[in-house]
Amino acid sequence: MEDVVVIGAGIIGVCAALNLAQRGMRVHIVDGAPPGSGCSFGNAGLIAVDHVAPLASPETMAGLPRMLLRRDGPLRLHKRSLPRMAPWLLEFAAQAQRPRYRRNTRALASLVTGAAQAWRRLLDRHIAGDLFRDIGSLYVFEHPVARATERAQLDLLDRHGVRYENLTAGQVRRDYLPSLTPHISHARYFPGMASVTDPQQVVERVFEAALAAGARFTRAAVDALRALPDGRIGFMLNGAMHPAAKVLIAAGSRSAELAQQLGARIELTNERGYHVQLGGPSQETLRVPVSFVERGFTCNPMAQGIRLAGTVELGARGAPDWRRADLLATQFQTLFPGAGAAQVASRWYGDRPTLPDYLPMIGEMRGARNVFVATGHQHLGLTLGPLSGELVAQLMARETPAVDLAPFRIDRF
Ligand SMILES: Cc1cc2nc3c(=O)[nH]c(=O)nc-3n(C[C@H](O)[C@H](O)[C@H](O)COP(=O)(O)OP(=O)(O)OC[C@H]3O[C@@H](n4cnc5c(N)ncnc54)[C@H](O)[C@@H]3O)c2cc1C
């Protein structure tokens, strides 16, 4: 039996821990916070199988100036973060060029098109089935899309076998969202896009399954990582160094700090997002989850009521800007004038771990054998968690991973 330490009990860490424990490894999960209380706590709950293309794209580049100029827009980059963010932004601009974007789309699609089956394998193990909902999801466009852009979007979906139905404003109001404003252009329904009713509980259930498979948990942050003279990896908890045969860094947006201690520089940033949980109106307002494309947020009827989640503050540090969260409730009220008052019951923010090419990072460190990293799942951690957990466990067990992991290696930039 090998001693394996998994740093981070977010969706990625717990899915990896489950697969490692099921291989008979002696798994030790460590996290300074309770499982699922990082970014995985408050996401929008979509298993976004339509996201086959990375956000580092020529279209995003073209739309950036307009997005950044809108104060209440879905994307914000603070001037004071610019010097710190410069290397990330330059790499992002390089990755968004057409040839790299095409290559990165092939890579991301190789994961996303396998996400639903990996979720199915998790459900088949009787994990989180009661939190899973297979009712599809909607995207609403408030403005018409240029014909060529629309054709390119649909071609991409067709190429990767993503099913969709285009709907008129009338159809979407009649069949899915009766209290939606009539002032929209059109919508697209994705029947294969499942969702969950409580993302934090999903992490909890996978965590419990990992414990049942033999893993153990220590509630403490890893303060340091060192390569030990005997070839093992030392991890420091509460001032004491412990040895492990293998270490997985799955610490979300904090992963780069840990990897750096073993000599790897990872160009990881955080994309801060927010949610508000509404106390009213009732979940009946939404028959399915819906995302508003131009505004960049999702409304999902969840266990605790309707959750509005989204927006991006690139590289945000320090205190959250709760106006970003409150704006979601204001926008909901505009979009659903017939739904009754949107009472904010709670607000949350979380930091998505994001690399400049918008691909995850799943690999072994070149300079530190037996140290593995699984991070950078950006807007897709819930979607890809079960699959990434399987793949990194295969890698750590020295099996051949089911997906070619070369595009996701640590030293790719
Ligand atoms: C508003 C919003 C909406 C989103 N919507 C969706 C969606 O609909 N679908 C989707 O697929 N994804 C979505 N995402 C993205 C998704 O939530 C993330 O990709 C995912 O949660 C990342 O998981 P993680 O395990 O890598 O990180 P985290 O969940 O942040 O977990 C990392 C863990 O590591 C721990 N940690 C950090 N440092 C240390 C240390 N030194 N020692 C020990 N432990 C440490 C932290 O405490 C934390 O528990 C959304 C994100 C946001 C913000």
Side-chain angles (χ1 to χ4, degrees):
M1 286 224 275
E2 278 188 308
D3 284 312
V4 178
V5 170
V6 175
I7 306 174
I11 187 69
I12 305 302
V14 296
C15 287
L18 172 67
N19 283 280
L20 290 163
Q22 285 178 332
R23 280 173 170 71
M25 295 190 188
R26 210 157 39 206
V27 178
H28 185 182
I29 308 169
V30 289
D31 196 315
S37 54
C39 189
S40 305
F41 179 90
N43 61 50
L46 297 182
I47 297 165
V49 293
D50 65 310
H51 275 52
V52 285
L55 285 168
S57 69
E59 288 70 31
T60 308
M61 279 304 281
L64 265 186
R66 195 168 21 93
M67 270 194 275
L68 287 171
L69 283 173
R70 272 176 52 197
R71 248 193 94 66
D72 60 350
L75 174 67
R76 190 123 170 240
L77 173 60
H78 296 281
K79 267 196 221 115
R80 62 177 180 279
S81 327
L82 268 174
R84 179 168 47 82
M85 288 294 297
W88 190 97
L89 289 167
L90 287 172
E91 188 60 44
F92 170 82
Q95 297 290 338
Q97 300 301 310
R98 185 76 58 193
R100 291 209 204 169
Y101 164 72
R102 283 212 188 95
R103 193 188 60 191
N104 293 342
T105 299
R106 279 195 296 277
L108 189 60
S110 74
L111 295 178
V112 172
T113 53
Q117 290 102 307
W119 261 94
R120 182 51 56 198
R121 288 190 286 277
L122 195 70
L123 300 171
D124 286 347
R125 288 187 243 172
H126 306 290
I127 301 168
D130 57 322
L131 306 168
F132 182 85
R133 228 177 14 190
D134 211 356
I135 54 172
S137 189
L138 276 171
Y139 279 69
V140 165
F141 299 80
E142 290 172 70
H143 303 291
V145 177
R147 200 180 285 263
T149 311
E150 167 116 333
R151 195 59 265 156
Q153 285 171 0
L154 299 184
D155 282 349
L156 184 74
L157 297 171
D158 291 340
R159 231 182 5 262
H160 295 287
V162 181
R163 290 178 295 134
Y164 58 85
E165 290 161 28
N166 290 322
L167 304 172
T168 62
Q171 284 169 325
V172 78
R173 278 161 49 86
R174 187 192 65 207
D175 296 342
Y176 297 103
L177 308 170
S179 47
L180 179 70
T181 169
H183 305 298
I184 64 153
S185 164
H186 62 288
R188 195 165 293 144
Y189 174 63
F190 290 88
M193 200 190 297
S195 50
V196 302
T197 53
D198 189 334
Q200 191 276 335
Q201 278 293 305
V202 170
V203 177
E204 189 91 19
R205 299 291 171 78
V206 181
F207 173 73
E208 282 161 10
L211 296 190
R216 70 191 171 98
F217 176 61
T218 298
R219 170 102 187 255
V222 171
D223 300 320
L225 284 174
R226 297 273 175 279
L228 301 177
D230 64 1
R232 290 186 293 172
I233 314 299
F235 62 100
M236 187 178 279
L237 290 183
N238 301 321
M241 195 59 99
H242 306 270
K246 288 178 183 165
V247 167
L248 172 64
I249 301 174
S253 61
R254 312 304 296 270
S255 300
E257 297 157 32
L258 290 163
Q260 196 167 20
Q261 298 184 22
L262 293 165
R265 185 178 155 73
I266 298 178
E267 206 55 74
L268 184 72
T269 195
N270 63 314
E271 286 184 81
R272 183 162 290 176
Y274 293 84
H275 88 214
V276 295
Q277 199 68 55
L278 299 184
S282 86
Q283 276 118 309
E284 303 308 309
T285 312
L286 309 173
R287 294 184 189 151
V288 293
V290 53
S291 303
F292 290 91
V293 175
E294 293 93 340
R295 297 179 194 253
F297 80 103
T298 296
C299 314
N300 189 347
M302 288 199 175
Q304 312 88 335
I306 292 175
R307 175 174 294 178
L308 316 177
T311 84
V312 168
E313 273 183 302
L314 210 48
R317 292 259 169 99
D321 179 355
W322 290 119
R323 286 171 307 181
R324 303 277 298 164
D326 294 338
L327 191 63
L328 298 175
T330 312
Q331 301 199 67
F332 178 86
Q333 206 75 85
T334 311
L335 291 161
F336 292 93
Q343 304 140 16
V344 174
S346 63
R347 303 183 292 190
W348 169 89
Y349 78 94
D351 289 331
R352 306 172 183 91
T354 304
L355 292 148
D357 56 3
Y358 279 76
L359 298 181
M361 178 167 277
I362 305 171
E364 183 174 9
M365 274 192 198
R366 207 182 246 172
R369 205 172 138 74
N370 290 325
V371 180
F372 299 80
V373 174
T375 188
H377 286 78
Q378 35 105 359
H379 299 236
L380 293 173
L382 179 72
T383 305
L384 293 176
L387 181 61
S388 290
E390 290 176 3
L391 294 170
V392 77
Q394 290 161 359
L395 197 66
M396 293 176 76
R398 307 286 175 209
E399 299 164 15
T400 306
V403 173
D404 175 17
L405 294 180
F408 313 109
R409 67 186 188 280
I410 298 168
D411 60 355
R412 64 180 185 266
F413 296 110

